[in-house]
Amino acid sequence: MPGLRRDRLRTLLLLGVLLAADLYFHLGPRVRRRLRPRERPPGCPCAHRAATSAPRPAARHVPPAEPDGGGPGSKLRALFAHPLYNEPEKPPLLGPEDSLLAGPEALRYYRRKVARWNRRHRIYKEQLNLTSLDPPLQLHLETSWIQFHLGISRHGLYSRSSPVVSKLLHDMRHLPTISADYSQDEKALLGACDCTQIVKPSGVHLKLVLRFSDFGKAMFKPMRQLRDEETPEDFFYFIDFQRHNAEIAAFHLDRWEVNPLYCDTVKQVYPHSSSGRLLNIIDMAIFDFLTGNMDRHHYETFTKFGDDGFLIHLDNARGFGRHSHDEVSILSPLSQCCRIKRKTLSHLQLLAQADYRLSDVMRESLLEDQLTPVLTEPHLLALDRRLQTVLRTVRGCIEAHGEHSVVANGPTGQSAPDSGPT
């Protein structure tokens, strides 16, 4: 018995030491950072916004990435005036099969959802003996989110010149929120619904679905990390924070494996062997490298458009974590396959020129965002550095295989010969 008591005492002492070490080295610094007074950086654009309660003017019908009031010296305005950004963005629709949603069927579906919402809301008020003068929700065809949904086609979620995106962003800022709920994957993790029915149960960060007064919905991700706080070097990326500002910055940037022979196998497998899928994956890899997003485990497409459908750039919240580190492995699809669309390469080369420098046009575009400043200056400058890395990778491919083999002339790249072993 005395020996057993001594063992218990040693165990308690060991647990106490571990707890003290955790408090000192882990929890203590985090608490001190939380309690440290936060000073607003000098010249912060938010200071003026916080001092005035005047509503922002309604969005004009201009391309969504083009800032209102850009003067003659605007690099962003000059960029979108360049011939590369004035080419036809997509061929004309050939038929109903080119649209994601059939208009009449989609509207009937949305009307049923609105009717069900109104019915449930009425029952809820009756049960609680509540009275309200608010009229039932109505579905209007001109609502921005409906027009956005009906505009999704085989060629993309939206065209850069679409005025609907600008209106949609304005509505999300200003429309009243009528409900908030967990997302479907959050409910799955909480045991509220069948996990087998969830496409991708994600994990460790709160996400809410907000419903607006026009019955549109948006995903809300709370702020978890300061803009100037870098991801620690020893963080495994699966447990890294999902950053709210990374999703916003990815929208602005978008307007637009260790086996070096792995691509040889991929190129023999359908649909990568005959469609534009492989070139689209390489485009996405370049985008993820610029943002520093290592969390792209898979990609999504609309099944209606088959193997030629575009890739959807969902879930960018783990981007822009470390401005001081460039994760070159993200570029593996480009460096291993040595293929790139000519249009993509032309745009990247343009953004490397001083008159259209990527960091400058991103900085200007982000100034129009409601949460500006979205990215800190080191993250903006990292975009220029990473862009040069992409271009060096392409140059290395061209030196090894020739431009005719690396640069694909069409959207599917069928006019360019196979690059052979890489």
Side-chain angles (χ1 to χ4, degrees):
M1 293 296 293
L4 181 60
R5 291 175 181 171
R6 283 196 295 271
D7 289 342
R8 289 180 177 175
L9 180 60
R10 292 193 189 99
T11 302
L12 291 174
L13 289 174
L14 177 61
L15 292 175
V17 170
L18 292 175
L19 178 60
D22 188 56
L23 288 172
Y24 183 80
F25 291 106
H26 181 64
L27 296 179
R30 294 189 65 178
V31 171
R32 287 194 293 271
R33 285 199 301 269
R34 293 284 183 181
L35 297 178
R36 186 183 303 143
R38 300 174 183 173
E39 298 181 357
R40 187 182 300 276
C44 176
C46 288
H48 173 70
R49 293 172 183 260
T52 177
S53 59
R56 292 169 61 90
R60 295 183 295 158
H61 283 213
V62 296
E66 183 175 349
D68 292 337
S74 166
K75 287 190 176 183
L76 189 61
R77 188 176 295 275
L79 177 70
F80 289 119
H82 192 277
L84 277 177
Y85 286 84
N86 285 278
E87 297 176 353
E89 295 182 77
K90 61 183 181 181
L93 295 180
L94 301 178
E97 68 278 4
D98 289 307
S99 295
L100 177 66
L101 301 176
E105 289 79 1
L107 290 176
R108 281 196 292 269
Y109 171 76
Y110 293 143
R111 287 192 177 99
R112 287 197 300 270
K113 289 181 70 69
V114 171
R116 184 161 60 248
W117 165 271
N118 286 329
R119 183 168 60 253
R120 290 179 177 177
H121 195 60
R122 185 182 68 253
I123 294 174
Y124 171 78
K125 290 191 297 184
E126 290 174 354
Q127 290 177 341
L128 296 181
N129 197 24
L130 299 175
T131 58
S132 175
L133 300 178
D134 296 333
L137 290 180
Q138 300 292 327
L139 191 70
H140 300 285
L141 180 62
E142 67 275 9
T143 301
S144 59
W145 65 269
I146 292 181
Q147 292 299 314
F148 181 87
H149 286 181
L150 295 180
I152 300 175
S153 73
R154 180 185 302 277
H155 312 289
L157 285 175
Y158 59 92
S159 64
R160 186 183 59 81
S161 59
S162 170
V164 174
V165 177
S166 182
K167 179 66 165 61
L168 185 62
L169 292 175
H170 178 271
D171 290 346
M172 285 195 296
R173 293 174 182 173
H174 298 287
L175 286 177
T177 301
I178 61 174
S179 72
D181 197 3
Y182 288 116
S183 63
Q184 286 294 95
D185 51 358
E186 292 282 340
K187 291 180 180 179
L189 293 169
L190 294 173
C193 54
D194 184 3
C195 285
T196 62
Q197 302 301 314
I198 305 301
V199 176
K200 180 180 176 290
S202 63
V204 294
H205 302 283
L206 173 66
K207 296 183 290 294
L208 296 177
V209 177
L210 305 182
R211 190 184 299 275
F212 301 117
S213 57
D214 68 347
F215 212 68
K217 292 191 295 184
M219 183 73 74
F220 170 77
K221 292 186 177 182
M223 179 177 178
R224 294 288 305 276
Q225 192 173 16
L226 298 177
R227 293 176 176 86
D228 57 354
E229 188 176 355
E230 263 203 296
T231 300
E233 293 184 8
D234 57 352
F235 254 41
F236 184 45
Y237 70 91
F238 278 124
I239 63 172
D240 192 10
F241 287 128
Q242 291 188 6
R243 286 168 285 276
H244 69 294
N245 60 325
E247 295 278 19
I248 298 170
F251 167 76
H252 286 265
L253 181 62
D254 187 55
R255 321 204 258 186
W256 254 260
E257 204 62 39
V258 294
N259 177 8
L261 301 179
Y262 183 68
C263 191
D264 289 343
T265 302
V266 172
K267 287 188 291 189
Q268 307 305 319
V269 179
Y270 186 82
H272 310 100
S273 58
S274 60
S275 71
R277 182 69 58 85
L278 182 58
L279 290 171
N280 290 337
I281 291 175
I282 291 172
D283 275 0
M284 179 175 279
I286 294 172
F287 178 82
D288 287 338
F289 175 70
L290 291 174
T291 66
N293 179 21
M294 298 175 60
D295 197 33
R296 187 78 63 193
H297 314 299
H298 64 277
Y299 57 83
E300 289 86 6
T301 65
F302 287 120
T303 55
K304 176 179 178 179
F305 301 138
D307 296 325
D308 288 326
F310 60 90
L311 308 188
I312 307 172
H313 292 203
L314 287 178
D315 194 4
N316 303 285
R318 284 201 170 106
F320 296 104
R322 294 182 61 194
H323 56 73
S324 59
H325 175 72
D326 300 341
E327 186 53 54
V328 183
S329 65
I330 302 175
L331 276 182
S332 293
L334 172 63
S335 59
Q336 293 176 10
C337 298
C338 273
R339 300 294 298 277
I340 189 172
K341 296 177 186 175
R342 184 173 297 278
K343 181 177 181 181
T344 299
L345 179 58
S346 298
H347 281 83
L348 295 176
Q349 291 170 334
L350 180 66
L351 292 170
Q353 297 181 20
D355 290 343
Y356 312 100
R357 185 178 289 113
L358 179 56
S359 61
D360 292 339
V361 295
M362 269 291 288
R363 186 183 299 106
E364 188 176 340
S365 182
L366 291 171
L367 284 175
E368 287 298 305
D369 196 272
Q370 188 82 352
L371 294 183
T372 189
V374 176
L375 293 180
T376 60
E377 192 65 18
H379 280 296
L380 290 170
L381 297 179
L383 289 172
D384 296 330
R385 184 181 69 241
R386 292 167 184 166
L387 176 57
Q388 291 299 325
T389 300
V390 174
L391 294 176
R392 281 197 302 270
T393 303
V394 175
R395 287 196 295 269
C397 287
I398 292 176
E399 291 174 2
H401 307 289
E403 182 175 347
H404 70 285
S405 181
V406 174
V407 182
N409 293 317
T412 63
Q414 294 177 347
S415 60
D418 187 79
S419 62
T422 58

